[in-house]
Amino acid sequence: MNVKGKVILSMLVVSTVMVVFWEYINGPGGSFVWIYQSKNSELGGNGNQKDWWFRSWFKNGTHSYQGEEDVDKEKEQRKEDDEELQLSDWFNPQKRPEVVTVTGWKAPVVWEGTYNRAVLENYYGKQKITVGLTVFAIGRYIEHYLEEFLTSANRHFMVGHKVIFYIMVDDVSRLPLIELGPLRSFKVFAVKPEKRWQDISMMRMKTIGEHIVTHIQHEVDFLFCMDVDQVFQDTFGVETLGQSVAQLQAWWYKADPDEFTYERRRGSAAYIPFGQGDFYYHAAIFGGTPIQVLNITRECFKGILQDKKNDIEAEWHDESHLNKYFLLNKPTKILSPEYCWDYHIGLPSDIKTVKVSWQTKEYNLVRNNI
């Protein structure tokens, strides 16, 4: 074949490849995908996401070569879109003067009436967030609490946003059948049962940490960890999202710190001396970004192991260690008792809307022969 023929043949091959590739990326069945996309672990999505291939080459199946001007414009637009929401944009502590709404370290305490949900929904809607929720149900807790917890969470937890329920059970065959709403999905994991309920409570810190490392950190932007023996009563929404989120304990939110049931024995890693302490936090609900929750669970489990080595068990188990953690590492947001209320207290005037309520604690039944 002469030189002219080789040139023509080469042009035909190149043209064919270009046509096939163009049809692939524009056809209904083809799209160019990233191999891996890491979820941003910081509030507001300010960090750059790390993609393995062609971050800005293809968008919606269309090739778009970008010059310097286009890149600059895109960066400016991304900066505007990712601008962090300011506390004053959505939070007004003066709306609830009868309760504590701001901590000594300037963190908001979220009560009904203090937040502007429309502003928050607009912001997080643009972020296209995914929120995770872990829950453990071991032994008889499955039959007594899990179905109502999941049904109510499906109805009230982060409505309008993507949600992944991480359900930890010791017997997958006993899992209740729940029909989830739009944008909801769940993942079920079998966990090893423990002989004592105290060990179940404490070992969940280790288990949550392991799951964050292996997959959760890549799947969600925010993560909540909750006890199963409670039920959602009203919207538990984006006003609760933050870097690290703690829950006020319903029975102790008006008490003096010296009255709190902190671990008072010096030999425990959870030890908090009299004269110290801010609030008493409830381990039934805590959350934050995956990395912050990982820090919480790791430090709490480290304290649990240290106590075990010294043959001591904190008075309120993982909750004692959680309170020690938040004493040393102040939460960036605190949820009022409205987000985890016990109706046995009654319904005082400062509790406007109960978001989550405690279930009846049938300990003799559910903790016997777990």
Side-chain angles (χ1 to χ4, degrees):
M1 184 181 293
N2 57 28
V3 174
K4 184 176 181 180
K6 289 181 179 179
V7 170
I8 293 173
L9 181 60
S10 298
M11 291 176 66
L12 286 172
V13 171
V14 171
S15 299
T16 301
V17 170
M18 290 179 66
V19 168
V20 170
F21 187 67
W22 179 259
E23 289 297 323
Y24 172 74
I25 64 174
N26 285 279
S31 61
F32 204 82
V33 299
W34 294 328
I35 290 179
Y36 169 77
Q37 179 178 343
S38 64
K39 298 297 290 186
N40 180 13
S41 65
E42 295 298 325
L43 180 63
N46 291 323
N48 292 326
Q49 292 180 325
K50 298 176 182 178
D51 310 318
W52 282 64
W53 283 1
F54 304 109
R55 174 170 183 162
S56 58
W57 273 36
F58 297 96
K59 187 176 183 181
N60 298 325
T62 304
H63 175 270
S64 59
Y65 177 77
Q66 296 179 306
E68 289 185 11
E69 274 189 31
D70 293 332
V71 171
D72 290 340
K73 287 181 180 178
E74 184 183 281
K75 285 182 178 178
E76 189 65 32
Q77 183 63 47
R78 190 180 301 124
K79 182 179 179 181
E80 291 179 8
D81 292 342
D82 291 348
E83 186 176 349
E84 187 172 348
L85 191 67
Q86 300 300 310
L87 184 61
S88 59
D89 293 336
W90 64 272
F91 183 69
N92 186 350
Q94 296 177 352
K95 292 287 187 178
R96 295 294 302 273
E98 79 280 16
V99 293
V100 176
T101 52
V102 179
T103 70
W105 58 94
K106 307 303 181 184
V109 183
V110 181
W111 293 81
E112 181 67 19
T114 60
Y115 55 88
N116 187 323
R117 181 169 284 150
V119 171
L120 291 165
E121 288 290 356
N122 180 60
Y123 175 76
Y124 285 112
K126 291 178 180 178
Q127 300 296 317
K128 300 187 184 301
I129 59 170
T130 300
V131 184
L133 173 56
T134 70
V135 63
F136 285 70
I138 307 298
R140 293 175 181 174
Y141 278 79
I142 297 176
E143 286 83 8
H144 282 271
Y145 299 120
L146 185 57
E147 183 172 0
E148 191 167 6
F149 176 88
L150 291 174
T151 301
S152 63
N154 180 51
R155 187 180 305 118
H156 295 297
F157 183 75
M158 300 296 162
V159 177
H161 301 276
K162 287 184 179 179
V163 171
I164 303 175
F165 297 113
Y166 298 101
I167 306 169
M168 317 291 181
V169 294
D170 62 336
D171 187 349
V172 176
S173 67
R174 292 156 60 196
L175 192 71
L177 295 176
I178 304 292
E179 185 176 348
L180 297 179
L183 303 177
R184 274 90 166 67
S185 62
F186 67 87
K187 296 185 177 184
V188 181
F189 301 92
V191 296
K192 178 185 175 183
E194 302 290 338
K195 292 181 179 179
R196 303 185 313 139
W197 67 264
Q198 294 93 333
D199 294 326
I200 294 172
S201 177
M202 290 187 289
M203 287 300 291
R204 73 167 178 155
M205 291 293 186
K206 176 176 182 287
T207 304
I208 291 170
E210 290 172 345
H211 280 280
I212 291 173
V213 169
T214 57
H215 63 98
I216 289 178
Q217 65 174 321
H218 306 303
E219 298 168 347
V220 304
D221 302 285
F222 297 94
L223 179 67
F224 279 95
C225 308
M226 298 191 183
D227 285 354
V228 71
D229 53 351
Q230 47 192 353
V231 59
F232 289 82
Q233 304 277 352
D234 208 302
T235 302
F236 193 106
V238 290
E239 73 278 1
T240 64
L241 300 177
Q243 291 271 1
S244 62
V245 182
Q247 171 66 57
L248 291 183
Q249 217 276 1
W251 285 86
W252 296 104
Y253 74 103
K254 291 182 178 180
D256 183 89
D258 280 349
E259 299 175 14
F260 294 162
T261 55
Y262 289 152
E263 174 55 60
R264 301 298 189 181
R265 292 171 293 176
R266 292 179 180 274
S268 173
Y271 169 65
I272 298 176
F274 288 101
Q276 293 189 27
D278 306 303
F279 302 96
Y280 191 86
Y281 303 111
H282 197 174
I285 298 177
F286 63 92
T289 60
I291 297 305
Q292 288 296 328
V293 177
L294 178 61
N295 291 339
I296 293 169
T297 57
R298 278 180 169 171
E299 289 303 308
C300 288
F301 188 63
K302 185 188 299 183
I304 291 168
L305 289 181
Q306 182 178 325
D307 279 3
K308 192 174 182 66
K309 182 179 179 181
N310 294 327
D311 196 26
I312 191 172
E313 189 168 278
E315 182 173 359
W316 290 105
H317 317 105
D318 58 333
E319 186 168 273
S320 297
H321 292 278
L322 183 70
N323 272 275
K324 179 62 175 287
Y325 177 87
F326 280 134
L327 175 64
L328 301 177
N329 306 272
K330 308 297 188 188
T332 61
K333 181 176 287 185
I334 296 176
L335 305 183
S336 78
E338 296 166 314
Y339 288 87
C340 192
W341 186 250
D342 184 2
Y343 280 112
H344 287 94
I345 301 172
L347 199 62
S349 61
D350 51 9
I351 304 299
K352 304 297 185 185
T353 304
V354 174
K355 316 290 187 175
V356 177
S357 66
W358 301 16
Q359 290 273 47
T360 301
K361 308 294 184 180
E362 301 178 287
Y363 292 146
N364 290 336
L365 182 61
V366 297
R367 287 180 176 176
N368 185 27
N369 295 323
I370 282 180

